[in-house]
PDB file of all heavy atoms in Angstrom:
ATOM      1  N   LEU M 282      39.066 156.856  26.561  1.00 93.00           N
ATOM      2  CA  LEU M 282      38.497 156.798  25.210  1.00 93.00           C
ATOM      3  C   LEU M 282      36.973 156.910  25.260  1.00 93.00           C
ATOM      4  O   LEU M 282      36.371 157.655  24.488  1.00 93.00           O
ATOM      5  CB  LEU M 282      38.904 155.490  24.520  1.00 93.00           C
ATOM      6  CG  LEU M 282      40.358 155.401  24.051  1.00 93.00           C
ATOM      7  CD1 LEU M 282      40.667 154.005  23.522  1.00 93.00           C
ATOM      8  CD2 LEU M 282      40.664 156.433  22.979  1.00 93.00           C
ATOM      9  N   ASN M 283      36.372 156.171  26.198  1.00 92.00           N
ATOM     10  CA  ASN M 283      34.909 156.237  26.312  1.00 92.00           C
ATOM     11  C   ASN M 283      34.438 157.652  26.582  1.00 92.00           C
ATOM     12  O   ASN M 283      33.481 158.138  25.988  1.00 92.00           O
ATOM     13  CB  ASN M 283      34.411 155.315  27.432  1.00 92.00           C
ATOM     14  CG  ASN M 283      34.547 153.860  27.025  1.00 92.00           C
ATOM     15  OD1 ASN M 283      34.698 153.546  25.849  1.00 92.00           O
ATOM     16  ND2 ASN M 283      34.514 152.962  28.013  1.00 92.00           N
ATOM     17  N   ARG M 284      35.128 158.299  27.519  1.00 94.00           N
ATOM     18  CA  ARG M 284      34.755 159.656  27.902  1.00 94.00           C
ATOM     19  C   ARG M 284      34.843 160.598  26.694  1.00 94.00           C
ATOM     20  O   ARG M 284      33.946 161.394  26.442  1.00 94.00           O
ATOM     21  CB  ARG M 284      35.702 160.121  29.009  1.00 94.00           C
ATOM     22  CG  ARG M 284      35.210 161.259  29.838  1.00 94.00           C
ATOM     23  CD  ARG M 284      34.256 160.816  30.935  1.00 94.00           C
ATOM     24  NE  ARG M 284      34.949 160.395  32.138  1.00 94.00           N
ATOM     25  CZ  ARG M 284      35.614 161.222  32.939  1.00 94.00           C
ATOM     26  NH1 ARG M 284      35.683 162.510  32.672  1.00 94.00           N
ATOM     27  NH2 ARG M 284      36.200 160.773  34.012  1.00 94.00           N
ATOM     28  N   LEU M 285      35.944 160.497  25.951  1.00 96.00           N
ATOM     29  CA  LEU M 285      36.131 161.365  24.789  1.00 96.00           C
ATOM     30  C   LEU M 285      35.056 161.124  23.738  1.00 96.00           C
ATOM     31  O   LEU M 285      34.548 162.056  23.129  1.00 96.00           O
ATOM     32  CB  LEU M 285      37.516 161.132  24.160  1.00 96.00           C
ATOM     33  CG  LEU M 285      38.721 161.577  24.989  1.00 96.00           C
ATOM     34  CD1 LEU M 285      40.017 161.193  24.285  1.00 96.00           C
ATOM     35  CD2 LEU M 285      38.692 163.083  25.252  1.00 96.00           C
ATOM     36  N   VAL M 286      34.699 159.855  23.568  1.00 95.00           N
ATOM     37  CA  VAL M 286      33.673 159.533  22.572  1.00 95.00           C
ATOM     38  C   VAL M 286      32.314 160.053  23.033  1.00 95.00           C
ATOM     39  O   VAL M 286      31.602 160.729  22.295  1.00 95.00           O
ATOM     40  CB  VAL M 286      33.618 158.003  22.318  1.00 95.00           C
ATOM     41  CG1 VAL M 286      32.404 157.634  21.470  1.00 95.00           C
ATOM     42  CG2 VAL M 286      34.895 157.530  21.634  1.00 95.00           C
ATOM     43  N   GLU M 287      31.982 159.772  24.291  1.00 95.00           N
ATOM     44  CA  GLU M 287      30.659 160.157  24.809  1.00 95.00           C
ATOM     45  C   GLU M 287      30.470 161.665  24.821  1.00 95.00           C
ATOM     46  O   GLU M 287      29.392 162.179  24.543  1.00 95.00           O
ATOM     47  CB  GLU M 287      30.457 159.600  26.222  1.00 95.00           C
ATOM     48  CG  GLU M 287      30.037 158.140  26.200  1.00 95.00           C
ATOM     49  CD  GLU M 287      30.316 157.439  27.524  1.00 95.00           C
ATOM     50  OE1 GLU M 287      30.472 158.141  28.553  1.00 95.00           O
ATOM     51  OE2 GLU M 287      30.400 156.191  27.523  1.00 95.00           O
ATOM     52  N   SER M 288      31.519 162.414  25.143  1.00 96.00           N
ATOM     53  CA  SER M 288      31.382 163.874  25.231  1.00 96.00           C
ATOM     54  C   SER M 288      31.423 164.528  23.846  1.00 96.00           C
ATOM     55  O   SER M 288      31.205 165.729  23.720  1.00 96.00           O
ATOM     56  CB  SER M 288      32.506 164.456  26.088  1.00 96.00           C
ATOM     57  OG  SER M 288      33.733 164.291  25.393  1.00 96.00           O
ATOM     58  N   GLY M 289      31.733 163.750  22.828  1.00 97.00           N
ATOM     59  CA  GLY M 289      31.798 164.309  21.476  1.00 97.00           C
ATOM     60  C   GLY M 289      33.160 164.916  21.176  1.00 97.00           C
ATOM     61  O   GLY M 289      33.421 165.368  20.054  1.00 97.00           O
ATOM     62  N   GLU M 290      34.049 164.918  22.180  1.00 96.00           N
ATOM     63  CA  GLU M 290      35.349 165.549  21.961  1.00 96.00           C
ATOM     64  C   GLU M 290      36.194 164.757  20.962  1.00 96.00           C
ATOM     65  O   GLU M 290      36.957 165.335  20.183  1.00 96.00           O
ATOM     66  CB  GLU M 290      36.086 165.652  23.308  1.00 96.00           C
ATOM     67  CG  GLU M 290      37.196 166.691  23.249  1.00 96.00           C
ATOM     68  CD  GLU M 290      37.983 166.748  24.560  1.00 96.00           C
ATOM     69  OE1 GLU M 290      37.430 166.339  25.602  1.00 96.00           O
ATOM     70  OE2 GLU M 290      39.142 167.196  24.500  1.00 96.00           O
ATOM     71  N   MET M 291      36.041 163.452  20.996  1.00 96.00           N
ATOM     72  CA  MET M 291      36.820 162.609  20.086  1.00 96.00           C
ATOM     73  C   MET M 291      36.573 163.014  18.635  1.00 96.00           C
ATOM     74  O   MET M 291      37.499 163.117  17.841  1.00 96.00           O
ATOM     75  CB  MET M 291      36.459 161.141  20.307  1.00 96.00           C
ATOM     76  CG  MET M 291      37.275 160.184  19.499  1.00 96.00           C
ATOM     77  SD  MET M 291      39.031 160.319  19.832  1.00 96.00           S
ATOM     78  CE  MET M 291      39.325 158.798  20.695  1.00 96.00           C
ATOM     79  N   LYS M 292      35.313 163.255  18.329  1.00 97.00           N
ATOM     80  CA  LYS M 292      34.954 163.634  16.954  1.00 97.00           C
ATOM     81  C   LYS M 292      35.698 164.914  16.558  1.00 97.00           C
ATOM     82  O   LYS M 292      36.229 165.026  15.452  1.00 97.00           O
ATOM     83  CB  LYS M 292      33.426 163.822  16.901  1.00 97.00           C
ATOM     84  CG  LYS M 292      32.881 164.297  15.581  1.00 97.00           C
ATOM     85  CD  LYS M 292      32.701 163.122  14.611  1.00 97.00           C
ATOM     86  CE  LYS M 292      32.216 163.592  13.249  1.00 97.00           C
ATOM     87  NZ  LYS M 292      33.232 164.245  12.423  1.00 97.00           N
ATOM     88  N   LYS M 293      35.747 165.859  17.506  1.00 97.00           N
ATOM     89  CA  LYS M 293      36.425 167.140  17.204  1.00 97.00           C
ATOM     90  C   LYS M 293      37.922 166.924  16.999  1.00 97.00           C
ATOM     91  O   LYS M 293      38.530 167.482  16.086  1.00 97.00           O
ATOM     92  CB  LYS M 293      36.199 168.134  18.357  1.00 97.00           C
ATOM     93  CG  LYS M 293      34.761 168.620  18.426  1.00 97.00           C
ATOM     94  CD  LYS M 293      34.599 169.620  19.555  1.00 97.00           C
ATOM     95  CE  LYS M 293      33.132 169.852  19.857  1.00 97.00           C
ATOM     96  NZ  LYS M 293      32.900 170.199  21.268  1.00 97.00           N
ATOM     97  N   ILE M 294      38.498 166.079  17.868  1.00 97.00           N
ATOM     98  CA  ILE M 294      39.938 165.820  17.734  1.00 97.00           C
ATOM     99  C   ILE M 294      40.220 165.143  16.389  1.00 97.00           C
ATOM    100  O   ILE M 294      41.152 165.499  15.675  1.00 97.00           O
ATOM    101  CB  ILE M 294      40.461 164.934  18.896  1.00 97.00           C
ATOM    102  CG1 ILE M 294      40.246 165.630  20.235  1.00 97.00           C
ATOM    103  CG2 ILE M 294      41.938 164.610  18.699  1.00 97.00           C
ATOM    104  CD1 ILE M 294      40.678 164.804  21.455  1.00 97.00           C
ATOM    105  N   ILE M 295      39.366 164.178  16.063  1.00 97.00           N
ATOM    106  CA  ILE M 295      39.546 163.468  14.781  1.00 97.00           C
ATOM    107  C   ILE M 295      39.532 164.469  13.626  1.00 97.00           C
ATOM    108  O   ILE M 295      40.401 164.440  12.743  1.00 97.00           O
ATOM    109  CB  ILE M 295      38.433 162.402  14.591  1.00 97.00           C
ATOM    110  CG1 ILE M 295      38.621 161.259  15.590  1.00 97.00           C
ATOM    111  CG2 ILE M 295      38.437 161.853  13.159  1.00 97.00           C
ATOM    112  CD1 ILE M 295      37.506 160.231  15.608  1.00 97.00           C
ATOM    113  N   ASP M 296      38.555 165.379  13.653  1.00 97.00           N
ATOM    114  CA  ASP M 296      38.468 166.363  12.564  1.00 97.00           C
ATOM    115  C   ASP M 296      39.722 167.229  12.501  1.00 97.00           C
ATOM    116  O   ASP M 296      40.253 167.484  11.429  1.00 97.00           O
ATOM    117  CB  ASP M 296      37.226 167.259  12.757  1.00 97.00           C
ATOM    118  CG  ASP M 296      35.945 166.485  12.405  1.00 97.00           C
ATOM    119  OD1 ASP M 296      36.063 165.447  11.716  1.00 97.00           O
ATOM    120  OD2 ASP M 296      34.851 166.906  12.831  1.00 97.00           O
TER     121      ASP M 296
END
Side-chain angles (χ1 to χ4, degrees):
L282 286 174
N283 288 343
R284 200 82 86 69
L285 292 176
V286 170
E287 279 159 20
S288 68
E290 199 183 337
M291 184 59 110
K292 176 83 183 75
K293 290 181 194 150
I294 299 177
I295 291 173
D296 286 342

